[in-house]
Amino acid sequence: MKMPSWQRAVVKVGSALIAPDDTGTSSKYLLAIARFIIECHERGQEIVLVSSGSAAAGRKHIAYNSDTIPVTVKKAMAAVGQSDMMANWSRFFDFPCAQVLMTHGDLRDRARYVSIRNTLHTLLEHDVLPIVNENDALATDEMKVGDNDNLAAMVATLVDADALFICSDIDGLFDADPRVKPDAKKIPVVDEITEEIFALAGGTTNKIATGGMRTKIEAAEKATSHGVDTYIVNGRKGETFELMLQGENPGTLFKRQQDPMSNKKHWLRHTLISQGEIVVDSTTADALLDGQSLTTTGIVDVQGDFNRGDAVVIRNGENAEAIAKGICQYSSHELLHIKGQEVSHIAEQYGYSPITEVIESNDLMILEDV
Ligand SMILES: Nc1ncnc2c1ncn2[C@@H]1O[C@H](COP(=O)(O)OP(=O)(O)O)[C@@H](O)[C@H]1O
Ligand SMILES: N[C@@H](CCC(=O)OP(=O)(O)O)C(=O)O
């Protein structure tokens, strides 16, 4: 029998599979997924589960008779449904499950990112199944990932997975939303994620899900750039998991990039959200593209309001092209005062010797590399 080539995989399960009706959690579709996880466990293949469905599960406890559910009610549903969702999974396994809740605020802070990474690695070393979800009860707009497809991709890079399986209610990526266009055709393999691929994606019709196809493609983009093969599969069909156990592709495979980014560069590119922009002259732009650090002299403008340690985009002032993204050692306020000046001049004028690099080359990600 053919065996899968991956050793560690992230399996993302959407709300439509956890709570398919309005009656709370259900085992209807989870049994086949749980059997798959148990079989992997017995073979020594590691799984991290990213499970949605806390809000969908919580609808049983917090009734709300409207199609548009306010955010505060959704959060309350997620808080009450999270324990149902965990209990619904853990009853299938005779090995322990760990609940790991996180927000984007945790992932974009480098120290917390490394801490979550260590915890997940330790859980795997101890044969515990981590079950990850966004901490919806406390996440605000500014600090949430917002959908579990992207969260699963971030988790796949955190744990250095070889594969990411996004289990949904559809057979894969089609050339149009099959619910809108019934004769749409499935695309079995995507070699490269382009704008044309993104253009195929529609949203979700499930009022408690958040993703739709676009966030699944975003997730595939994040994961494949880290060297993770990404699959969208139909979690409603038992045969999906039979095929996955045999190393077959039951849905759409987005092939991993051959030259994956380093962990830190990936985090910078795909996890950090830019808080502002630094505009540089073209000589400085060329120097950055050559691998040099950014200093004060080549900066012609600063836009947005950012703090020390925030991520910023660097733009070439000559053609307005965004060339790089990096972690800035100065706030926007400080930079507005010292932009364009030599370090020695800053020391004379302000009476202190500033950090020479505004952005160190090590903290700089050239956007052309993507
Ligand atoms: N091009 C497409 N190919 C496949 N499905 C699509 C496409 N565009 C939109 N969709 C929709 O995306 C849905 C899956 O996303 P979603 O409802 O968020 O599921 P989940 O809860 O599993 O994340 C499908 O049911 C389908 O209607
Ligand atoms: N964190 C949310 C799920 C968010 C989400 O992305 O849902 P889905 O599109 O069903 O994967 C919850 O547990 O309800």
Side-chain angles (χ1 to χ4, degrees), residues 12-16 51-56 78 82 85 133-136 146-149 204 206 208-212 215-216:
K12 185 261 171 174
V13 180
S15 309
S51 180
S52 300
S54 62
Q82 175 64 24
M85 182 268 270
N133 194 4
E134 181 137 47
N135 198 345
D136 297 300
D147 70 87
N148 276 2
D149 299 319
T204 176
N206 180 346
I208 208 81
T210 47
T215 54
K216 290 174 184 35

Side-chain angles (χ1 to χ4, degrees), residues 51-69:
S51 180
S52 300
S54 62
R59 290 172 78 186
K60 182 177 139 192
H61 305 291
I62 297 182
Y64 200 85
N65 293 327
S66 164
D67 272 2
T68 42
I69 305 171

Side-chain angles (χ1 to χ4, degrees), residues 117-135:
R117 184 180 156 86
N118 290 341
T119 305
L120 288 171
H121 279 280
T122 308
L123 289 168
L124 291 174
E125 274 164 29
H126 288 82
D127 285 337
V128 177
L129 173 68
I131 304 184
V132 180
N133 194 4
E134 181 137 47
N135 198 345

Side-chain angles (χ1 to χ4, degrees), residues 1-254:
M1 198 216 299
K2 198 177 149 199
M3 292 286 277
S5 55
W6 52 267
Q7 178 55 32
R8 179 177 291 167
V10 171
V11 176
K12 185 261 171 174
V13 180
S15 309
L17 300 172
I18 309 281
D21 323 306
D22 279 353
T23 51
T25 54
S26 158
S27 60
K28 191 170 171 188
Y29 300 119
L30 300 204
L31 202 53
I33 306 176
R35 265 203 223 109
F36 167 78
I37 294 173
I38 292 165
E39 179 66 32
C40 291
H41 205 255
E42 279 169 10
R43 291 177 179 184
Q45 286 169 305
E46 295 168 319
I47 300 288
V48 176
L49 187 57
V50 173
S51 180
S52 300
S54 62
R59 290 172 78 186
K60 182 177 139 192
H61 305 291
I62 297 182
Y64 200 85
N65 293 327
S66 164
D67 272 2
T68 42
I69 305 171
V71 178
T72 45
V73 178
K74 257 196 191 178
K75 284 176 176 226
M77 285 175 175
V80 67
Q82 175 64 24
S83 53
D84 284 10
M85 182 268 270
M86 282 299 297
N88 197 34
W89 279 115
S90 51
R91 70 199 164 111
F92 291 118
F93 308 116
D94 54 14
F95 43 82
C97 300
Q99 171 176 274
V100 183
L101 296 173
M102 60 183 84
T103 65
H104 194 265
D106 302 310
L107 294 166
R108 65 181 175 232
D109 178 286
R110 188 72 189 160
R112 278 190 269 166
Y113 179 91
V114 172
S115 159
I116 298 170
R117 184 180 156 86
N118 290 341
T119 305
L120 288 171
H121 279 280
T122 308
L123 289 168
L124 291 174
E125 274 164 29
H126 288 82
D127 285 337
V128 177
L129 173 68
I131 304 184
V132 180
N133 194 4
E134 181 137 47
N135 198 345
D136 297 300
L138 57 80
T140 57
D141 278 353
E142 299 75 43
M143 61 183 273
K144 70 180 180 190
V145 178
D147 70 87
N148 276 2
D149 299 319
N150 277 292
L151 180 69
M154 291 174 189
V155 170
T157 66
L158 265 172
V159 298
D160 296 318
D162 319 296
L164 165 63
F165 295 99
I166 300 178
C167 306
S168 188
D169 59 354
I170 198 94
D171 286 348
L173 173 70
F174 285 67
D175 57 10
D177 184 349
R179 294 191 205 287
V180 179
K181 213 170 149 226
D183 61 346
K185 302 239 166 351
K186 191 177 90 174
I187 303 170
V189 179
V190 175
D191 288 307
E192 197 190 348
I193 300 172
T194 57
E195 277 313 310
E196 288 73 39
I197 293 292
F198 272 109
L200 305 176
T204 176
T205 47
N206 180 346
K207 61 183 174 223
I208 208 81
T210 47
M213 199 40 70
R214 183 169 180 94
T215 54
K216 290 174 184 35
I217 300 173
E218 284 170 5
E221 191 183 36
K222 283 190 173 73
T224 54
S225 69
H226 194 72
V228 182
D229 278 329
T230 302
Y231 299 80
I232 297 174
V233 301
N234 194 335
R236 291 193 168 174
K237 296 183 175 168
E239 73 243 36
T240 295
F241 300 97
E242 300 296 326
L243 289 168
M244 277 157 57
L245 283 171
Q246 290 161 32
E248 304 285 348
N249 165 21
T252 297
L253 161 63
F254 296 83

